[in-house]
Amino acid sequence: MATSSQHTSSFAALGRLLRYARGYRRRIIAATTCSVINKLFDIAPEILIGVAIDVVVNQEQSFVARLGFETAQQQITILAVLTFFIWAGESLFEYLYQILWRNLAQRLQSDLRQDAYEHAQRLDMSFFEARSSGQLVATMNDDVNQLERFLDGGANAMIQVAVTVVAVGAVFFVLSPLIALLAFTPIPLIIWGAFYFQRKAGPLYADVREKVGDLSSRLANNLGGIATIKSFTAELREARRLKQASEAYVEANRQAIRISSAFIPVIRMAILAGFLATFTVGGMMALNGDLNVGAYGVLVFLTQRLLWPLTGLAEVIDLFERAMASTRRILDLLAEPVNVRDQAGKDLEQPVQGRVAFDQVGFHYASSGAGVNGISLEVPAGNTLALVGATGSGKSTLIKLLLRFYDPTHGEIRLDGQAIQDVSLKSLRDAIGLVSQDVYLFEGSIRDNLAYGKPEATDEEIIEAARTAEAWSFISQLPQGLETPVGERGVRLSGGQRQRLSLARALLKDPPVLVLDEATSAVDNETEAAIQRSLRRIGHNRTVIMIAHRLSTIVDADNIAVIDGGQVVEQGDHKTLLALNGAYAAQWRVQTGQVNNADT
């Protein structure tokens, strides 16, 4: 399906790119200047050939003789010297434009990728939930590389084609306006063909970029879920799906190639018409004495120099269209709005005590309508709040709102009395440690992962945090200890080991507020008992907010809030809630095996 960005002109995309690259203006001007000078030197030898023919034919009456060089030998000598300097100048400026354009391509692609990544990090979680990681990786990697390829050679080629038309055209009109008119007759057809191709190819190349993203997404998903694929013996099915995505990419390219391939034969015939006009009419004029023989030689050589490079225009425009399709995707990503605004420079008052308050907080996801409705909860500093309830009741939503992954549509969340929307994201998130059910470990060593929130941590601090989380017992038994590689997403460790490392990582950060989102739901009884012991030790003088399905893990919580349908339906400590004999008590009886026959 065509998107609005596909209908955006490629030249509009180029304008957006130039506005983004305004900090590179001097480099672009320098590279363009070298390209122009190089092309002027490049077409000069054809002019010198014509002048040399004029010298041989007319000798003392030649054009060069009028400049003060009387003998033919002197004229040939000065032409040889000029040829040397022209070729040297052409070589020098070719070296310079290659260096300038290629370095510009490297610098711009690096900065674009970095800016796109940094902007993506600031985007709301809803952005990532609505897009596949494969599409984003394709934009930041393949699309940026496509733009780099254009800047490496395509930009210079486009500039030099324009310079050739202008410079050669000027020489033509000086020597023979009639032949100039004949030689330039095919150019409107060539330009029309180029724009026709651009108009036809633009949407096709946008579709190619989309198919690249789909293919990257399919590869990333399949490689990330290889264990699931194997367990369901779905290798053949996934291979077919990948082939479908790959064939869709091939077909999108085929459509674009069909348009681009038709361009060169048409242009070749237009060039032939222009060359034959110059060759024939100019020859007749030279034979009749209406045109100097040297000028005729210049015109014949320059006609080929003028028209033949235009056959490469199709390839250049092909590269340009691919690059602009990629540019639109990159700049569209950079234009994505950031809704969760960072109040940079307005930090939480230190030291942070950890007093958390939810005041009539409301929020609903646009995609599903689920969320929370007018929740009010108070967590005194150093206390433990447990959130329980069915899946989808709104427990995790409160945590996401506390971390400002989203902002509430109603109400306010405060930390130590300060509205969290009024303080910097860094100071807020530095004050909160998150241990999630879905533990994410980065590829690297155990040390790298433990010190992720505190890179400057000493070995003693790392080991102490690991001991507190009861992770040191297994780390110390590993042959490489803290240097043990964890593998991608921690695949070399067990689920319980990953969970303990996640807890140790949060503890090393030493946050005033610790958030545990289903931290024990996917671990065995031994690991759960170990984490329970850890929580009893670390819960002192620290605010802890826990989400748990296993009620046995929260019996010591100072306050337990039962969430149902986005609202708090019960609240109190364990004994109080059991005495209420409501939803919490019913769930407790189920989990402890106290359900009688009547209940079942």
Side-chain angles (χ1 to χ4, degrees):
M1 182 180 294
T3 64
S4 60
S5 63
Q6 290 175 353
H7 300 300
T8 304
S9 165
S10 294
F11 294 105
L14 178 62
R16 292 175 65 190
L17 178 62
L18 291 174
R19 286 193 294 274
Y20 169 83
R22 57 183 176 273
Y24 305 87
R25 191 168 296 162
R26 290 184 180 179
R27 299 187 197 186
I28 294 173
I29 292 173
T32 301
T33 301
C34 289
S35 293
V36 170
I37 296 175
N38 167 262
K39 180 48 64 175
L40 293 176
F41 275 127
D42 182 50
I43 63 177
E46 274 73 12
I47 298 175
L48 291 181
I49 291 173
V51 174
I53 293 172
D54 180 51
V55 169
V56 172
V57 173
N58 296 313
Q59 299 188 17
E60 284 78 9
Q61 282 75 44
S62 71
F63 170 75
V64 179
R66 280 177 261 161
L67 299 177
F69 302 95
E70 297 180 356
T71 68
Q73 290 78 8
Q74 289 177 326
Q75 296 171 31
I76 293 295
T77 301
I78 194 65
L79 289 177
V81 171
L82 281 174
T83 300
F84 172 80
F85 281 107
I86 286 171
W87 279 69
E90 180 186 357
S91 299
L92 172 64
F93 283 97
E94 181 173 0
Y95 169 77
L96 292 175
Y97 84 63
Q98 292 269 13
I99 289 290
L100 289 168
W101 279 117
R102 289 183 176 182
N103 284 337
L104 175 64
Q106 291 299 315
R107 184 72 269 152
L108 188 58
Q109 64 93 14
S110 176
D111 289 350
L112 258 177
R113 183 180 290 110
Q114 188 68 28
D115 288 349
Y117 173 73
E118 291 181 4
H119 181 73
Q121 287 191 127
R122 293 191 294 270
L123 292 173
D124 311 336
M125 291 301 295
S126 57
F127 173 83
F128 296 96
E129 291 167 358
R131 289 164 177 80
S132 71
S133 58
Q135 286 281 359
L136 292 175
V137 170
T139 297
M140 295 184 201
N141 191 42
D142 194 63
D143 284 331
V144 171
N145 290 340
Q146 190 69 51
L147 177 60
E148 177 197 353
R149 286 191 284 272
F150 169 71
L151 292 175
D152 265 345
N156 170 72
M158 290 184 74
I159 291 169
Q160 292 202 331
V161 166
V163 171
T164 299
V165 171
V166 173
V168 172
V171 174
F172 265 56
F173 278 100
V174 168
L175 295 178
S176 174
L178 173 60
I179 294 180
L181 184 63
L182 294 173
F184 273 73
T185 298
I187 290 182
L189 175 62
I190 294 171
I191 294 175
W192 174 84
F195 279 99
Y196 175 82
F197 164 72
Q198 181 268 329
R199 189 170 62 253
K200 291 289 186 181
L204 297 178
Y205 282 123
D207 187 47
V208 169
R209 303 320 311 154
E210 288 296 321
K211 295 300 187 292
V212 168
D214 293 342
L215 186 58
S216 297
S217 181
R218 173 62 61 186
L219 281 168
N221 285 336
N222 284 14
L223 292 175
I226 192 68
T228 303
I229 292 173
K230 286 178 175 293
S231 69
F232 283 92
T233 61
E235 291 91 342
L236 289 176
R237 186 195 322 157
E238 292 303 332
R240 285 195 297 269
R241 288 182 178 179
L242 181 64
K243 186 175 183 179
Q244 288 175 355
S246 183
E247 288 298 324
Y249 173 55
V250 170
E251 177 61 22
N253 262 307
R254 190 185 69 79
Q255 295 293 336
I257 291 169
R258 181 175 57 84
I259 296 294
S260 63
S261 297
F263 184 65
I264 290 180
V266 173
I267 298 307
R268 192 185 299 274
M269 297 311 295
I271 288 170
L272 177 62
F275 180 78
L276 288 177
T278 303
F279 184 81
T280 305
V281 176
M284 294 299 179
M285 292 176 66
L287 289 173
N288 294 333
D290 297 328
L291 183 65
N292 183 286
V293 174
Y296 173 62
V298 170
L299 291 173
V300 170
F301 284 118
L302 284 184
T303 300
Q304 188 170 7
R305 176 65 70 178
L306 167 68
L307 298 176
W308 190 251
L310 294 177
T311 58
L313 196 60
E315 184 177 350
V316 173
I317 292 180
D318 181 89
L319 199 59
F320 173 72
E321 283 299 334
R322 290 177 182 268
M324 291 306 103
S326 294
T327 296
R328 281 193 293 271
R329 283 164 53 96
I330 300 164
L331 297 181
D332 284 348
L333 173 59
L334 285 168
E336 282 287 338
V338 178
N339 296 316
V340 176
R341 294 291 178 180
D342 187 3
Q343 299 297 325
K346 298 181 181 179
D347 292 345
L348 282 165
E349 294 179 5
Q350 300 296 325
V352 177
Q353 302 300 317
R355 188 172 74 257
V356 178
F358 296 88
D359 186 5
Q360 292 296 315
V361 172
F363 172 81
H364 293 90
Y365 298 100
S367 58
S368 64
V372 292
N373 303 299
I375 285 185
S376 293
L377 289 168
E378 292 277 349
V379 191
N383 277 25
T384 296
L385 168 68
L387 303 173
V388 299
T391 300
S393 59
K395 307 182 301 298
S396 294
T397 299
L398 287 176
I399 301 306
K400 293 176 181 178
L401 293 173
L402 176 61
L403 285 160
R404 285 201 73 200
F405 292 162
Y406 301 91
D407 279 334
T409 51
H410 304 288
E412 186 177 72
I413 303 173
R414 294 184 295 274
L415 181 54
D416 286 356
Q418 292 180 263
I420 62 172
Q421 287 178 268
D422 296 336
V423 299
S424 69
L425 289 172
K426 184 179 188 310
S427 69
L428 171 67
R429 291 170 183 169
D430 279 348
I432 302 172
L434 174 65
V435 182
S436 177
Q437 174 185 4
D438 183 19
V439 177
Y440 192 97
L441 297 181
F442 295 92
E443 189 166 8
S445 67
I446 288 177
R447 181 197 303 277
D448 295 336
N449 277 277
L450 290 181
Y452 190 75
K454 190 179 180 181
E456 72 283 1
T458 64
D459 279 0
E460 290 75 16
E461 291 174 315
I462 292 173
I463 292 171
E464 180 59 31
R467 280 201 175 103
T468 304
E470 300 210 12
W472 183 246
S473 57
F474 82 83
I475 295 174
S476 61
Q477 294 175 6
L478 296 171
Q480 294 176 264
L482 288 172
E483 304 306 324
T484 301
V486 302
E488 190 174 6
R489 295 182 66 93
V491 294
R492 297 186 183 183
L493 303 176
S494 70
Q497 289 172 334
R498 291 197 297 269
Q499 197 65 264
R500 294 190 207 188
L501 289 184
S502 177
L503 181 58
R505 178 169 61 186
L507 293 178
L508 184 60
K509 183 180 174 182
D510 194 26
V513 179
L514 181 64
V515 174
L516 305 171
D517 188 357
E518 302 280 9
T520 62
S521 64
V523 299
D524 53 41
N525 292 332
E526 180 184 350
T527 303
E528 180 186 358
I531 292 176
Q532 281 288 91
R533 291 192 297 270
S534 301
L535 293 178
R536 279 193 288 270
R537 286 196 299 273
I538 66 178
H540 298 294
N541 301 319
R542 191 192 309 271
T543 302
V544 178
I545 300 177
M546 304 172 61
I547 294 177
H549 278 125
R550 297 185 186 180
L551 302 186
S552 58
T553 62
I554 61 169
V555 292
D556 296 326
D558 298 295
N559 189 26
I560 302 170
V562 181
I563 312 294
D564 184 33
Q567 296 180 316
V568 178
V569 294
E570 293 179 1
Q571 188 175 169
D573 60 20
H574 177 68
K575 291 182 179 179
T576 302
L577 291 177
L578 287 181
L580 283 176
N581 199 27
Y584 179 87
Q587 190 174 350
W588 174 261
R589 288 195 296 271
V590 170
Q591 292 192 11
T592 57
Q594 299 176 22
V595 181
N596 57 36
N597 292 334
D599 294 327
T600 59

